[in-house]
Amino acid sequence: MFSLQVGSLLNVALILGTVLVSAALLIWVERRFLGFFNDRLGPNRVGPFGILQSVADVIKLITKEDWTPPFADKLTFVVAPIIIPIVMLLSFAMIPFAPDVGIIDMNIGLLFVMAMAGLASYSAMLGGLASNNKFSLLGGLRAAGQMISYEVFMGISILGVVILSDSFSLRGIVEAQADGWYVIPQFIGFIVFMVAALAESHRWPFDLPEGEAEIISGFNTEYSGMKFGLFFVGEYIGMLLMACLIPVLFFGGWHAPFGLGFGNPIVSGLFWMAVKVGAFVIFFILVRAALARPRYDQLMSYGWLVMLPLSLINLLITGAIVLSQGS
Amino acid sequence: MVKITVDGKVLEVDENNNLLEEVLSHGEDLPYFCWHPSMGSVGSCRQCAVIEYADDEDTRGRLNMACMTSPRDGARYSIEKAAQFRAQAIESIMINHPHDCPVCEEGGECHLQDMTVMSGHNYRRYDGKKKTHTNQYLGPFIGHEMNRCITCYRCVRYYKDYAGGTDFGPQASHDNTYFGRWQEGPLESEFSGNLAEVCPTGVFTDKPFSKHYVRKWDLQTAPSICASCSVGCNTNPGERYGTLRRVVNRFNDEVNGYFICDRGRFGTGYVNSDERIIVSMTRDSRDDNPVLASPEEARTSLHSMMGAIGIGSPRASLEANFALRELVGPDNFYAGVSSAELGMYKQILDIYRTKPVKVARIKDIEASDAVVILGEDVTNTAARLALAMRQSVKNEGRKMARDMKFPDWHDAAIRQLAMDCKSPLFILSPYATRLDDVAAQVHIASAEESAKIGYAIATAIDGNAPGVTGLSKESQALVKTIAEALKGAEQPLIVSGTGSMSPALINAAANIATALSDGEKKANLALVVPEANSLGLAMLMEESDRALEQAFACEETHAIVLENDLYRRAPSADVDAFINKMEGLAVLDSMKHKTGEAANLVLASGTFAETSGTFVNYETRAQHFYSVFKPVDSIQSSVKWLSDKPLAEVTADCAKEIEGCAAIVGLTPGADFTVAGMRVPRQQHRYSGRTAMRADVDVHEPKQEQDEDGIMSYSMEGVPATRDSTVFNTAWSGGWNSNQSVFKFQSHTGGPLKQAGHGICLIENIASEKTYNEFEKAESAKGDYQVFPLYHLFGSDELTAKTPAIQEKATSGYIALNEADVAKLGLQASDGVAVENNGSVPYIVRSSIQPGTVGVSVGLEGLNFRNLPGAVSLQKAEGWTSPGSWNAANIIISDKSVAAEGETA
Amino acid sequence: MLKGLVHQVKIIWTQIVSLWLVFLHLFHKADTVEYPEVKPHTFPRWRGRIILTRDPDGEERCVACNLCAVACPVDCIALQKTEDEDGRWYPEFFRINFSRCIMCGFCEEACPTHAIQLTPDFEMAEYVRQDMVWEKEHMLIDGTGKYHDYNFYRVAGKAIGGKDKGEARNELPPTDRRSLLP
């Protein structure tokens, strides 16, 4: 039970703990890196290097007035922020971190993750609707539209990977990349997935549901205290999830590059996995620091007119090549 | 009306006015200093220069002073083209002007500042040495800072030529010219305060205001009515940090015009006095110490005084008196004056209603060309009227000028022309008055004799008038002279009043006016009453004769006294007896006084500055005054203490209930008045310090004070006067920060206000039938010396006398005697005089007083005039020392032959 | 079609360039000044805490002219004029509500006597809001502040203690009002 194998309690505890701590830490990491990208220092006051900033933030959020507007739909208003961290955490059950490290090795793992990501959109949508405020409503609508659109070709973009690995199991996909990462054959798929992942976790520059310049704070305008904190944490877990999915799908998961693996395959796997996840997290932060937010219509037209055809073409070509090789 | 072209604009102007006046009336900005709408033009400051073109071909034109130019039909003028000349002129004017604006009381409302900016002179090129002058002490009212003078001569033209002052004038020459007294000392004129407004810069300033100075823009102001006498001058008091800071004139074409007297201007310091009642006090019996009562407790006690009688007051507003009348019931409401006085007020109302006379406005007085004053010392009882009468004697000069085709505004020329020619002014008085210098003839006579002469004049004019007998030869000659002067006049004016306390005199005045009336043409009649609302009180008493005597004799055991110190109204013994009889005595007043000290319940009520209401002046003109600021919570208006209704409803009830008062609801635009949703602001748009003025108490700012009476708000937010001046508060217009900006609100320069009302006369005189009163010989009192009252502008009024600046000009109670009587009594200069049963007082010698008569000061400390019978016996006082407040130097009279001892004690 | 494609590629290219340029900032030195360990340099005309100064003779410069109060856009200055026995004007009280002050410096610009001055001191936070209300005794310093030589009463015409009429700069002695000579 406490042995290191997929599904063991130790694994569950370790992964859950790491994910939660990392998500919290991520808030600090993001703010510090944003600082560096902006030639600032970022939060460096609370604890060594400001590492306890998130703790201070949480204390602040918890001690804030937990206010529910009288005009809101009470039940939905409370439930909405709970959805997002739960579904995001559930998705982590599918992620294979290293050989023997993971929670479940499900043969439809990828589909499960997609399903969960789809559910996450309810959080923003319901939050926006329940607030009963026109800015929140606009934010909720934007979230729903954006996530549904980008989910479509997010799914299509990873079908190339599925075709190549012949598996929906994430662990199977990683293992199939032992002799070559899918980023090379599936470069277009990777690009599309990456953009979709940003949009799916509505991170900058696709943070239109919160676009504070136009709609105050979008779907979470009416939220305060820890309810807002849940949205916030949920988003960072989502970002971490996407940063985990990209290496798993396109960068060989725990496999070391150029045969740089060392010693115990689990330790080596965890190390390389962490390096890859870290790199993508920083890349996400860089994107936030560097790129400007598109208009909503631009976002939609890019989705449907560029990304969707691109991912379809990618799927077509991949399929054709695989078929031709298989025959 | 003629058409002229000014800078391409065609204006239709009145050729009888000067060009400056007309150009200003049409909204153009043209600088000026020496011209003043009520003093005419002399053309000395060279600021209103314009270019006048000879004809259409003329391109050069010639420089003319607009104030000295009559508009020529079809002529072409340019203001712009003369801009350079004006800039040079003001640069010269400013050469010696000191760098004083930050420490000058005029700064921010300075006509010189405005004109300098308007002329475009903003940099001083002159860096030579400046002329300087020493200042003079000019008394407690006016500060002097001669360095700032620009020698426009307005002060002299006002003080000497307009107000008739003799102790002030120009000295030295050239650019050393100096304006001041021949030696330091208080200015003697009763109208010296107007110097502060007339002076275009800060040479003459309001001294009491300077002691607690704030800038004009920081004053919270409201349109108010002077509460110090029966003229009802319109004033504009200003408040800051909870204290009343100053009073300035508020223009009202029908009443005070541009000027008010010094009592009105400087006599409001009592509002900030230590003697104010600021909390309500109560006690069970008169021997207990009073304890503090909360406003609610005090109110409850007041309203639980069942069956109480109410004693009204001629200095409380119409609404306050009415509210008391409603509370106690009309049958229990007594006028707070003696029945003799109430009788005279009602007599005056009756004359205004039934005689074919015209009730004289100040405007009418100024336009009169023959005046008779019957036994009223107008300078001391209704000062503003005396100033108007000084103008009336100039009508002869104007008439001469008109015959020579001189325009009316040509001040210097008319003065040169007229020299000593004056319209006739006759004064009948028991002593020499301050108007004697402009009088054609002064007749010293007792009230009774004056009344007789008055009747005789009426008979001489109209044979139907009842005659009198027993006139001396001298008097008969006088009667003839006066009758002829009046008959020859276009606008004769008769002035009398309650000052001599003689109903016969008032009837005599009415008879003369009646005799003069001839169909449509009616003689002017002005009958002066003592206090701000004397006639208002009389209107409430239309159906009853309940006065103080009746109140003292009533059987009730509870009384409510409204804003009234009974000890000033009746003999002390009578008041003592009345108070001892009372089980419950409630006094509502703003100031501590002897009646209040004897009360069981004292309610702190607001002064005129803290309350709103209506006063009825000597011509039955009802005028509304607005509260200037909100006092502390424990002080409430008398109306609020007495009534549950808002002021507007009390006013409406009063209008409905009281005959002849229906018009008072029209005095305000109504409690829900707004312009574009805005009320009228009491504060100016530049009002400063709002977030710091109360921060020492609490950094959290309180809600803005609310005015439940509506119309105005205690705020700087609201409709600007330049947009709507229905309620005309402070005069201000862009570029015109000084009081000169008032012309922007006048229908034409110097004329009536465009929007604001000027009060409503409650009695429309429509009588045409000539009826006369028969002479009734009054029972003359038996005694050694016949008593007549002597009034003092500074001191005789109850409230203003409690103002520090007024106290400096006032003195203690005294008597005035003829030399012969002084010798008879064997008085030395250092002696006092013992007045029968009334202690010892100082005396002065006045040569004009007839032997056997004695003048007794009214309202001054230390002697109650009401205690004295009509005649008294006098004695030399042994071992007498003069009281500390005795200051004979403050008694400004022309006939003081011997300076009494203790002159400057 | 091709033109559109080129355009799209251009757009994507600029995005990549932005990413790269921003990424390079990771290796730049931060501009942040770590206050309070490192104090920033403030210049003499920095608009910080307001003080009242004295003239070179050590007297209060403020003459209570009210111009600062009226210039103040948030109306946070309140004062009352009074004068000494020799006629010198000075404020009876002078109050600034610093919780309202926006440090715009209009008061300093309006001041005709250089009395009110803004200083480089910007550390004005308080735990109690009431402590943000400052009276004259808190603000009046013993020096002349930024302007060392100016003494208003030396150029003004008004006489005060120690300076009678005609004794100010560029003034002639008082005229003789009894003389008729020019």
Side-chain angles (χ1 to χ4, degrees):
Chain A
M1 199 173 198
F2 296 103
S3 61
L4 204 58
Q5 66 179 64
V6 172
S8 73
L9 207 59
L10 181 69
N11 252 348
V12 173
L14 272 178
I15 291 171
L16 190 67
T18 316
V19 166
L20 284 179
V21 169
S22 323
L25 213 56
L26 209 52
I27 299 172
W28 167 75
V29 170
E30 166 149 44
R31 288 178 59 190
R32 286 230 67 172
F33 268 91
L34 275 179
F36 295 143
F37 287 130
N38 295 352
D39 289 353
R40 294 183 288 113
L41 290 175
N44 64 349
R45 293 275 158 185
V46 192
F49 307 106
I51 201 163
L52 297 179
Q53 184 65 45
S54 303
V55 179
D57 288 348
V58 168
I59 292 170
K60 184 198 81 171
L61 282 174
I62 287 176
T63 50
K64 267 189 149 183
E65 186 188 0
D66 186 28
W67 189 68
T68 307
F71 45 80
D73 187 312
K74 302 277 174 332
L75 181 67
T76 326
F77 190 80
V78 175
V79 168
I82 302 173
I83 298 173
I84 185 162
I86 288 179
V87 297
M88 288 300 173
L89 281 175
L90 279 176
S91 304
F92 270 101
M94 302 301 131
I95 305 291
F97 290 94
D100 296 333
V101 181
I103 295 173
I104 309 172
D105 180 16
M106 204 189 273
N107 58 359
I108 53 153
L110 194 55
L111 291 181
F112 183 83
V113 170
M114 292 297 296
M116 286 298 126
L119 277 178
S121 64
Y122 280 101
S123 188
M125 203 177 79
L126 291 179
L129 281 171
S131 296
N132 206 357
N133 163 324
K134 47 187 108 148
F135 294 109
S136 301
L137 180 64
L138 280 174
L141 288 177
R142 283 184 180 192
Q146 175 179 331
M147 287 167 125
I148 288 166
S149 311
Y150 276 72
E151 219 157 72
V152 171
F153 47 86
M154 188 183 185
I156 298 170
S157 68
I158 52 176
L159 283 182
V161 174
V162 173
I163 292 169
L164 290 179
S165 64
D166 207 11
S167 167
F168 272 114
S169 155
L170 290 173
R171 194 164 285 274
I173 291 171
V174 174
E175 276 159 2
Q177 293 179 74
D179 5 287
W181 296 355
Y182 286 154
V183 69
I184 297 154
Q186 284 299 314
F187 187 72
I188 295 175
F190 160 63
I191 295 294
V192 174
F193 182 80
M194 180 119 113
V195 172
L198 283 172
E200 191 64 14
S201 56
H202 42 86
R203 275 195 58 82
W204 292 262
F206 301 124
D207 63 328
L208 283 94
E210 291 179 45
E212 59 281 278
E214 307 110 62
I215 50 172
I216 307 178
S217 193
F219 65 89
N220 63 32
T221 303
E222 298 288 353
Y223 282 88
S224 68
M226 209 48 215
K227 286 211 273 288
F228 167 75
L230 285 174
F231 273 127
F232 202 61
V233 167
E235 270 181 40
Y236 277 90
I237 300 175
M239 173 182 162
L240 199 62
L241 177 70
M242 291 306 166
C244 289
L245 270 179
I246 293 170
V248 166
L249 293 176
F250 298 101
F251 288 85
W254 62 76
H255 294 297
F258 317 116
L260 287 174
F262 53 90
N264 187 324
I266 294 180
V267 175
S268 164
L270 279 177
F271 172 78
W272 283 112
M273 184 67 182
V275 168
K276 290 170 187 173
V277 170
F280 279 101
V281 163
I282 290 167
F283 180 73
F284 283 167
I285 295 169
L286 174 64
V287 168
R288 174 179 177 179
L291 300 185
R293 183 193 300 142
R295 287 200 315 262
Y296 191 65
D297 63 313
Q298 288 171 336
L299 177 86
M300 281 315 204
S301 57
Y302 266 95
W304 292 108
L305 300 180
V306 181
M307 293 303 176
L308 183 65
L310 216 58
S311 53
L312 283 173
I313 291 165
N314 177 44
L315 180 61
L316 209 65
I317 296 170
T318 314
I321 292 173
V322 169
L323 277 179
S324 66
Q325 280 175 349
S327 59
Chain B
M1 291 303 232
V2 295
K3 276 197 175 135
I4 59 167
T5 313
V6 177
D7 287 324
K9 262 182 269 181
V10 178
L11 309 179
E12 199 172 328
V13 300
D14 186 347
E15 71 273 27
N16 295 320
N17 294 335
N18 62 56
L19 182 64
L20 170 63
E21 219 173 314
E22 288 301 317
V23 160
L24 293 176
S25 298
H26 282 89
E28 305 287 331
D29 284 344
L30 183 56
Y32 63 84
F33 287 121
C34 63
W35 173 80
H36 188 284
S38 57
M39 294 193 288
S41 320
V42 290
S44 79
C45 74
R46 317 316 276 173
Q47 265 304 285
C48 60
V50 293
I51 302 279
E52 180 173 354
Y53 297 96
D55 48 43
D56 284 349
E57 277 77 57
D58 188 1
T59 51
R60 270 186 76 192
R62 64 200 168 90
L63 211 54
N64 256 346
M65 296 308 127
C67 74
M68 300 300 283
T69 306
S70 282
R72 204 154 42 81
D73 197 11
R76 204 150 54 81
Y77 301 94
S78 173
I79 295 175
E80 282 166 23
K81 292 276 161 52
Q84 198 195 348
F85 173 83
R86 291 197 300 267
Q88 283 166 356
I90 196 137
E91 188 165 12
S92 313
I93 285 173
M94 290 293 289
I95 272 185
N96 287 315
H97 196 71
H99 186 59
D100 259 6
C101 296
V103 290
C104 175
E105 291 89 343
E106 199 82 359
E109 52 175 327
C110 177
H111 189 54
L112 178 61
Q113 277 178 345
D114 290 348
M115 295 303 101
T116 309
V117 172
M118 198 176 284
S119 311
H121 172 53
N122 48 23
Y123 183 79
R124 192 196 292 274
R125 290 186 292 175
Y126 174 77
D127 57 359
K129 298 216 181 260
K130 291 180 188 176
K131 292 265 179 191
T132 60
H133 305 272
T134 47
N135 301 332
Q136 286 183 327
Y137 168 77
L138 296 178
F141 293 155
I142 292 292
H144 193 218
E145 187 61 51
M146 214 16 237
N147 275 1
R148 298 170 187 156
C149 182
I150 56 165
T151 54
C152 70
Y153 276 75
R154 256 195 189 186
C155 52
V156 177
R157 290 175 56 223
Y158 167 73
Y159 195 89
K160 270 182 75 179
D161 303 344
Y162 192 88
T166 51
D167 57 331
F168 176 93
Q171 294 153 48
S173 70
H174 198 244
D175 56 354
N176 292 343
T177 313
Y178 189 94
F179 298 94
R181 277 171 57 91
W182 65 283
Q183 69 171 39
E184 285 203 347
L187 290 170
E188 281 175 5
S189 171
E190 293 80 5
F191 310 98
S192 63
N194 294 313
L195 282 177
E197 286 191 39
V198 164
C199 177
T201 178
V203 178
F204 300 100
T205 49
D206 183 332
K207 215 174 196 178
F209 176 45
S210 177
K211 290 206 178 91
H212 51 193
Y213 179 73
V214 291
R215 298 273 172 214
K216 178 186 183 184
W217 59 69
D218 281 341
L219 287 168
Q220 176 169 295
T221 58
S224 190
I225 304 298
C226 181
S228 325
C229 81
S230 65
V231 178
C233 292
N234 289 210
T235 58
N236 195 215
E239 173 265 1
R240 177 78 170 170
Y241 302 134
T243 54
L244 191 69
R245 297 305 172 98
R246 71 159 178 192
V247 168
V248 291
N249 176 71
R250 181 166 59 90
F251 182 83
N252 184 335
D253 176 55
E254 299 261 291
V255 188
N256 48 309
Y258 290 92
F259 306 113
I260 56 175
C261 75
D262 287 358
R263 185 200 268 182
R265 184 183 302 272
F266 301 111
T268 54
Y270 66 88
V271 174
N272 311 327
S273 151
D274 292 340
E275 287 178 61
R276 275 298 295 276
I277 300 169
I278 49 170
V279 284
S280 300
M281 306 284 267
T282 177
R283 58 181 165 185
D284 289 334
S285 93
R286 216 155 284 144
D287 307 321
D288 296 344
N289 280 328
V291 291
L292 204 76
S294 73
E296 294 73 32
E297 288 164 5
R299 209 184 139 79
T300 316
S301 319
L302 179 71
H303 285 256
S304 59
M305 289 178 81
M306 298 307 275
I309 62 162
I311 297 181
S313 165
R315 67 171 160 90
S317 70
L318 193 59
E319 284 87 349
N321 277 310
F322 179 76
L324 177 62
R325 186 177 178 266
E326 290 290 280
L327 185 70
V328 297
D331 293 340
N332 278 335
F333 181 72
Y334 296 83
V337 291
S338 66
S339 55
E341 279 178 69
L342 181 62
M344 282 192 287
Y345 302 164
K346 291 170 80 168
Q347 182 190 354
I348 289 171
L349 288 180
D350 189 54
I351 288 168
Y352 285 170
R353 279 205 193 98
T354 58
K355 306 286 177 191
V357 296
K358 185 174 171 202
V359 182
R361 303 168 295 173
I362 286 179
K363 234 172 150 173
D364 302 322
I365 295 177
E366 285 175 353
S368 301
D369 51 359
V371 184
V372 180
I373 303 173
L374 288 179
E376 183 76 23
D377 184 1
V378 187
T379 312
N380 285 308
T381 55
R384 184 63 185 84
L385 300 189
L387 186 62
M389 277 176 236
R390 279 193 180 276
Q391 310 321 308
S392 73
V393 299
K394 294 176 187 158
N395 284 322
E396 180 64 26
R398 291 207 188 92
K399 210 184 282 170
M400 290 160 73
R402 234 167 274 150
D403 292 343
M404 296 182 72
K405 303 244 174 351
F406 267 45
D408 270 1
W409 46 259
H410 221 309
D411 184 47
I414 294 177
R415 252 184 297 128
Q416 286 292 332
L417 180 68
M419 299 299 261
D420 279 339
C421 299
K422 294 191 183 79
S423 307
L425 171 74
F426 300 96
I427 302 175
L428 283 76
S429 163
Y431 54 94
T433 66
R434 293 275 287 152
L435 275 174
D436 289 1
D437 58 323
V438 289
Q441 210 168 337
V442 180
H443 184 68
I444 302 296
S446 68
E448 173 137 350
E449 201 195 326
S450 300
K452 269 188 179 170
I453 295 173
Y455 276 92
I457 295 169
T459 318
I461 295 166
D462 180 357
N464 296 332
V468 282
T469 51
L471 279 179
S472 68
K473 239 198 180 107
E474 189 201 349
S475 300
Q476 280 168 357
L478 180 71
V479 166
K480 212 173 152 218
T481 323
I482 296 178
E484 246 144 52
L486 289 177
K487 273 196 279 187
E490 278 165 35
Q491 279 206 58
L493 166 71
I494 322 299
V495 179
S496 185
T498 59
S500 299
M501 314 216 174
S502 160
L505 203 57
I506 297 171
N507 275 340
N511 272 11
I512 302 177
T514 309
L516 284 166
S517 89
D518 179 16
E520 279 303 289
K521 192 184 158 214
K522 287 175 178 174
N524 290 320
L525 177 67
L527 297 170
V528 176
V529 289
E531 276 162 275
N533 198 31
S534 294
L535 289 190
L537 180 67
M539 293 190 88
L540 289 180
M541 306 305 295
E542 205 68 77
E543 280 129 38
S544 82
D545 287 317
R546 293 183 197 88
L548 275 183
E549 283 85 343
Q550 285 77 15
F552 292 169
C554 75
E555 281 159 14
E556 275 80 5
T557 54
H558 288 76
I560 301 170
V561 178
L562 171 71
E563 301 183 28
N564 208 336
D565 181 5
L566 302 180
Y567 286 96
R568 293 180 64 98
R569 309 274 180 199
S572 307
D574 295 356
V575 182
D576 284 338
F578 170 68
I579 286 175
N580 286 332
K581 196 176 73 176
M582 286 293 128
E583 283 166 23
L585 179 66
V587 172
L588 293 87
D589 213 338
S590 53
M591 304 294 289
K592 291 174 186 162
H593 51 59
K594 215 173 153 195
T595 312
E597 276 162 23
N600 302 73
L601 175 65
V602 173
L603 296 106
S605 67
T607 61
F608 78 97
E610 294 138 0
T611 59
S612 303
T614 307
F615 282 148
V616 181
N617 84 346
Y618 77 95
E619 39 169 341
T620 70
R621 182 185 301 275
Q623 298 186 100
H624 187 83
F625 58 98
Y626 294 86
S627 63
V628 178
F629 65 106
K630 239 187 178 169
V632 288
D633 283 346
S634 55
I635 298 178
Q636 293 181 5
S637 73
S638 298
V639 175
K640 217 173 157 198
W641 284 124
L642 293 166
S643 173
D644 300 322
K645 292 176 183 167
L647 180 72
E649 268 179 51
V650 177
T651 311
D653 288 353
C654 180
K656 221 181 294 160
E657 195 101 337
I658 306 300
E659 200 197 325
C661 284
I664 61 171
V665 286
L667 292 172
T668 65
D672 51 358
F673 173 77
T674 54
V675 178
M678 293 180 284
R679 284 186 176 187
V680 181
R682 282 186 172 84
Q683 297 166 1
Q684 295 217 344
H685 64 299
R686 286 175 182 155
Y687 197 78
S688 80
R690 286 173 306 131
T691 64
M693 51 201 296
R694 293 180 204 86
D696 56 330
V697 181
D698 187 4
V699 69
H700 303 279
E701 283 138 33
K703 192 181 163 202
Q704 199 81 40
E705 299 275 15
Q706 299 297 302
D707 187 354
E708 59 261 31
D709 298 339
I711 308 171
M712 298 193 84
S713 64
Y714 295 105
S715 158
M716 62 195 283
E717 285 148 19
V719 59
T722 42
R723 179 164 165 200
D724 186 287
S725 58
T726 309
V727 177
F728 183 56
N729 194 359
T730 305
W732 181 91
S733 181
W736 296 79
N737 299 295
S738 75
N739 55 10
Q740 304 291 322
S741 59
V742 72
F743 80 84
K744 296 272 182 192
F745 303 95
Q746 291 168 332
S747 57
H748 58 88
T749 309
L753 292 170
K754 262 182 231 167
Q755 282 181 294
H758 38 62
I760 298 168
C761 281
L762 297 181
I763 294 181
E764 280 286 321
N765 188 298
I766 44 163
S768 58
E769 194 192 342
K770 284 180 160 189
T771 55
Y772 293 100
N773 301 303
E774 292 290 336
F775 178 68
E776 286 171 39
K777 191 169 163 48
E779 208 47 40
S780 67
K782 296 276 178 291
D784 298 348
Y785 292 92
Q786 297 289 320
V787 170
F788 61 84
L790 281 173
Y791 294 93
H792 271 264
L793 187 63
F794 308 120
S796 287
D797 178 61
E798 178 183 353
L799 294 178
T800 56
K802 291 183 174 156
T803 300
I806 296 286
Q807 279 165 350
E808 272 188 62
K809 290 277 268 189
T811 183
S812 67
Y814 70 97
I815 60 167
L817 292 163
N818 183 284
E819 289 99 336
D821 289 327
V822 170
K824 205 164 90 185
L825 288 167
L827 295 172
Q828 301 298 314
S830 61
D831 284 338
V833 178
V835 184
E836 187 185 356
N837 300 331
N838 274 286
S840 302
V841 291
Y843 76 95
I844 61 165
V845 181
R846 296 190 65 167
S847 54
S848 64
I849 293 178
Q850 285 178 329
T853 63
V854 57
V856 178
S857 66
V858 177
L860 298 181
E861 184 196 325
L863 186 61
N864 185 355
F865 179 79
R866 321 269 159 177
N867 275 354
L868 302 180
V872 291
S873 65
L874 301 174
Q875 259 182 337
K876 182 172 161 180
E878 301 293 338
W880 177 82
T881 48
S882 62
S885 53
W886 168 240
N887 188 351
N890 280 343
I891 304 170
I892 296 170
I893 44 174
S894 50
D895 58 338
K896 184 161 56 175
S897 57
V898 180
E901 169 63 17
E903 183 163 339
T904 45
Chain C
M1 172 77 191
L2 191 71
K3 214 173 152 191
L5 207 64
V6 170
H7 182 64
Q8 293 300 323
V9 170
K10 254 191 198 158
I11 287 174
I12 291 162
W13 176 245
T14 58
Q15 304 285 303
I16 292 167
V17 169
S18 310
L19 281 173
W20 173 244
L21 290 176
V22 171
F23 177 72
L24 287 181
H25 276 269
L26 202 52
F27 310 103
H28 287 197
K29 194 179 170 295
D31 292 331
T32 311
V33 179
E34 286 203 77
Y35 175 84
E37 289 84 6
V38 183
K39 300 281 185 193
H41 178 68
T42 50
F43 292 87
R45 287 195 194 176
W46 214 90
R47 298 198 309 261
R49 162 135 32 224
I50 298 171
I51 53 157
L52 292 172
T53 59
R54 291 177 186 275
D55 63 26
D57 300 338
E59 297 291 333
E60 246 178 84
R61 259 182 180 153
C62 178
V63 298
C65 72
N66 276 294
L67 289 184
C68 50
V70 76
C72 180
V74 291
D75 284 351
C76 74
I77 305 178
L79 66 153
Q80 173 59 51
K81 173 254 169 186
T82 187
E83 61 183 60
D84 68 9
E85 59 277 13
D86 296 316
R88 185 190 176 101
W89 285 29
Y90 69 96
E92 183 182 342
F93 69 83
F94 192 107
R95 186 183 306 128
I96 298 184
N97 181 353
F98 278 107
S99 70
R100 286 285 188 185
C101 178
I102 56 170
M103 305 291 160
C104 66
F106 282 13
C107 49
E108 184 175 3
E109 281 190 43
C111 184
T113 67
H114 287 322
I116 194 167
Q117 295 180 13
L118 276 76
T119 64
D121 177 12
F122 58 87
E123 292 167 312
M124 311 183 56
E126 297 283 352
Y127 284 103
V128 181
R129 210 178 144 198
Q130 190 65 48
D131 294 345
M132 304 285 281
V133 179
W134 282 40
E135 299 287 340
K136 185 171 83 173
E137 50 270 33
H138 306 129
M139 288 183 283
L140 185 61
I141 65 161
D142 279 337
T144 55
K146 284 176 272 189
Y147 310 98
H148 304 301
D149 302 326
Y150 191 66
N151 184 340
F152 170 75
Y153 280 109
R154 293 273 147 221
V155 292
K158 202 174 165 66
I160 54 158
K163 191 213 80 173
D164 210 344
K165 280 287 159 64
E167 291 175 5
R169 200 169 297 160
N170 259 358
E171 275 188 356
L172 292 167
T175 54
D176 177 8
R177 66 192 172 93
R178 307 258 185 234
S179 160
L180 284 177
L181 297 172

